Amino acid sequence: MVEVTDVVCSLCGCVCDDIVLEVENNEIVKVKKGACSVGKAKLLGHERIKSPAIRENGELRECSYDEAIKKAAEILYKSRRSLLYGWSSTVCEAHKVGVELTEDLGAVMDNTASVCHGPSVLAINDVGLPSCTLGEVKNRADLIIYWGANPAQAHANHMKRYSYVSKGYWTEEGKKGKKMVVVDVRKTMTAKMADVFVQIKQGKDYQVFSALRAILRGHEDVVPDEVGGVPKEQLLEVANMVKESKFVMTFFGMGVTHTGARHNNIVNAIQFTRAAHLHTKASIMPLRGHYNVAGINQVCTWETGFPFAIDMSRGYAWYNPGEQSATDLLYRGDCDAAMIIASDPGAHFPGESLKHLAKIPVIQIDPYANPTTEFADVVIPAAVSGIEAEGNVYRMDNVPIRLRKILDTDYLPDEEILQRILTEIRAMREKEGE
Ligand code: SF4
């Protein structure tokens, strides 16, 4: 038995990097410390896709990697406009090959940000982001605001490692010296732990941010007795907490990005943070879901100039979310093949978009079967990044972290699968040119 320390969890955007495992006979037998229950379940492993497969007469037939990769290359080569979607649960090295493949095919590349924090990315494009690292939050923040987010259930280690419960250089008392405000439409598990719970009406985030901005800027007289279901008294209480704190940190989730004013909610959240700067130090950060959704935004931006929904059909990168984002493209029936990697649109996309996805040839690259497998025409199993394959990822605060390989496997890493598909496509093109 070998003890492996400083293991990184490749599940959620917290990317916890202090996990201790016991490994015996090339198997993780125990997660000794560091991981939350979902992280633990991933590290201990569960049902995998056993073999590459190709759908024939409605059934998946097991085949070799060579055959599945060749079939995937054929589908993409014949396609006039393909969609390459997913990318948030794999490493940046795979993203880089993905961009090359997209460019080679003149395809559309989109990632899961377009159905989660895409509005946040648009807001940041508009007005920037006064943000910081999670290390700064741990060491400095004495007021934590979670807005439209439920980390107690979605990012189980977040409060313990980085925010409300953590102890840092200037926050050595931990929770005792901190306050937490939760803003949400319902009393979540996180809200139950808060010093102040602000229950707002669904879709009224924009108005509540505006009211807080007005108070922080000294215009409380213009704020009515109630805004978005929140009494003025409580808005004044929260504004006072902001003014009296040394460092305010706001984390926001999809409860804000996908309601009411959408990306303008986030613009207003950022302006609320700037208004807090009149009184104290303040910072803001999206609570990113998948462990490397921040990484795919990074790679796409440095390779193409844009973070998601990138169309390469013109021979250069074209960006117009709402037109080239995956759900819109599928809704309009505007692609004739799809490659889904490290994500599950089958479980998360709207029905109308899925109808088209079910009609066109679909290639799936993933370690695990999911609802997308049910209609995939080519299924290519991959090594699990952070357990069976190494690579770089970006934590939710855009700090890069290296995932290590812990176990040996016969499964191929995503990067190699993509590179082999690209090589096949280039060989097909060369052959046709002859
Ligand atoms: S909080 Fe997230 S990254 Fe940390 S152990 Fe749990 S699932 Fe893994």
Side-chain angles (χ1 to χ4, degrees):
M1 195 274 295
V2 184
E3 186 173 280
V4 189
T5 59
D6 302 317
V7 174
V8 180
C9 174
S10 55
L11 205 149
C12 85
C14 287
V15 193
C16 301
D17 57 359
D18 59 350
I19 293 164
V20 181
L21 302 175
E22 283 180 5
V23 176
E24 199 170 3
N25 297 328
N26 199 39
E27 197 185 328
I28 297 169
V29 289
K30 190 171 179 188
V31 181
K32 277 184 85 177
K33 64 173 192 179
C36 70
S37 55
V38 279
K40 217 179 253 181
K42 176 163 185 183
L43 286 159
L44 289 171
H46 55 91
E47 189 80 2
R48 300 282 293 275
I49 299 173
K50 289 194 176 55
S51 154
I54 294 174
R55 193 171 296 279
E56 282 174 0
N57 304 320
E59 298 293 325
L60 284 173
R61 170 183 64 79
E62 291 191 0
C63 64
S64 65
Y65 265 113
D66 283 351
E67 198 183 345
I69 285 171
K70 199 158 186 186
K71 181 73 185 169
E74 256 171 44
I75 290 172
L76 294 173
Y77 182 61
K78 281 185 195 153
S79 151
R80 291 182 61 212
R81 185 175 164 89
S82 37
L83 167 68
L84 313 186
Y85 175 81
W87 308 102
S88 302
S89 293
T90 186
V91 294
C92 295
E93 289 77 357
H95 299 162
K96 193 164 173 287
V97 185
V99 174
E100 202 180 343
L101 185 59
T102 309
E103 202 170 2
D104 192 278
L105 291 166
V108 176
M109 185 182 200
D110 195 14
N111 54 71
T112 60
S114 81
V115 291
C116 61
H117 274 288
S120 314
V121 174
L122 294 177
I124 295 165
N125 287 350
D126 274 2
V127 292
L129 188 76
S131 199
C132 63
T133 65
L134 289 168
E136 280 191 85
V137 180
K138 174 186 169 178
N139 287 309
R140 295 173 190 274
D142 59 345
L143 176 61
I144 312 289
I145 302 175
Y146 284 110
W147 198 306
N150 183 15
Q153 288 182 294
H155 298 80
N157 277 354
H158 195 265
M159 283 185 272
K160 189 171 80 183
R161 279 175 63 85
Y162 308 118
S163 69
Y164 186 43
V165 187
S166 65
K167 291 181 181 171
Y169 196 79
W170 286 285
T171 55
E172 68 273 11
E173 285 194 305
K175 196 176 158 204
K176 264 196 243 159
K178 300 181 188 186
K179 291 265 185 287
M180 179 163 81
V181 174
V182 171
V183 185
D184 215 318
V185 293
R186 64 193 169 89
K187 197 161 191 177
T188 60
M189 199 186 273
T190 312
K192 286 180 190 152
M193 298 168 66
D195 297 284
V196 175
F197 170 46
V198 180
Q199 186 156 15
I200 64 170
K201 283 189 185 152
Q202 206 273 333
K204 298 293 178 192
D205 306 78
Y206 188 92
Q207 290 86 333
V208 177
F209 279 125
S210 294
L212 286 170
R213 283 175 65 190
I215 297 168
L216 289 171
R217 290 190 171 276
H219 302 297
E220 69 176 72
D221 53 317
V222 301
V223 176
D225 292 341
E226 182 244 285
V227 179
V230 185
K232 184 173 180 178
E233 271 164 34
Q234 198 178 30
L235 292 168
L236 290 168
E237 183 191 359
V238 172
N240 275 337
M241 287 170 81
V242 169
K243 288 180 192 171
E244 285 163 11
S245 69
K246 293 198 190 88
F247 187 120
V248 191
M249 185 66 210
T250 305
F251 292 104
F252 60 94
M254 285 167 62
V256 197
T257 58
H258 283 275
T259 56
R262 290 174 183 247
H263 87 280
N264 284 314
N265 283 336
I266 312 306
V267 169
N268 220 6
I270 292 167
Q271 303 300 18
F272 155 71
T273 308
R274 295 211 166 105
H277 288 163
L278 294 171
H279 309 275
T280 183
K281 177 141 180 62
S283 212
I284 183 164
M285 189 185 299
L287 266 177
R288 306 303 301 264
H290 298 90
Y291 71 87
N292 202 22
V293 64
I296 181 65
N297 295 153
Q298 289 276 355
V299 175
C300 285
T301 304
W302 79 55
E303 292 279 346
T304 71
F306 305 110
F308 65 105
I310 304 141
D311 184 357
M312 290 284 196
S313 63
R314 292 165 170 82
Y316 54 88
W318 179 263
Y319 174 63
N320 191 17
E323 187 191 353
Q324 277 94 4
S325 17
T327 52
D328 302 278
L329 204 70
L330 289 165
Y331 181 76
R332 294 195 312 273
D334 230 355
C335 56
D336 58 359
M339 187 186 81
I340 309 298
I341 176 164
S343 68
D344 183 15
H348 301 115
F349 274 15
E352 286 304 314
S353 303
L354 280 183
K355 274 185 198 162
H356 186 65
L357 197 59
K359 278 188 215 153
I360 60 177
V362 171
I363 301 148
Q364 182 191 32
I365 304 173
D366 207 291
Y368 309 103
N370 57 35
T372 302
T373 320
E374 297 301 316
F375 53 83
D377 299 281
V378 181
V379 177
I380 308 180
V384 181
S385 303
I387 300 177
E388 299 163 339
E390 59 180 6
N392 291 308
V393 303
Y394 282 76
R395 203 169 61 183
M396 65 170 71
D397 54 350
N398 288 304
V399 168
I401 293 180
R402 183 84 182 159
L403 297 186
R404 285 150 64 199
K405 177 178 169 169
I406 315 284
L407 305 178
D408 292 327
T409 182
D410 291 332
Y411 288 114
L412 299 180
D414 293 310
E415 184 188 1
E416 186 177 337
I417 295 168
L418 292 166
Q419 193 60 60
R420 283 175 60 176
I421 292 174
L422 181 58
T423 306
E424 283 287 343
I425 290 170
R426 286 180 174 159
M428 284 173 193
R429 189 172 299 123
E430 216 173 281
K431 201 167 164 202
E432 201 175 271
E434 282 168 9

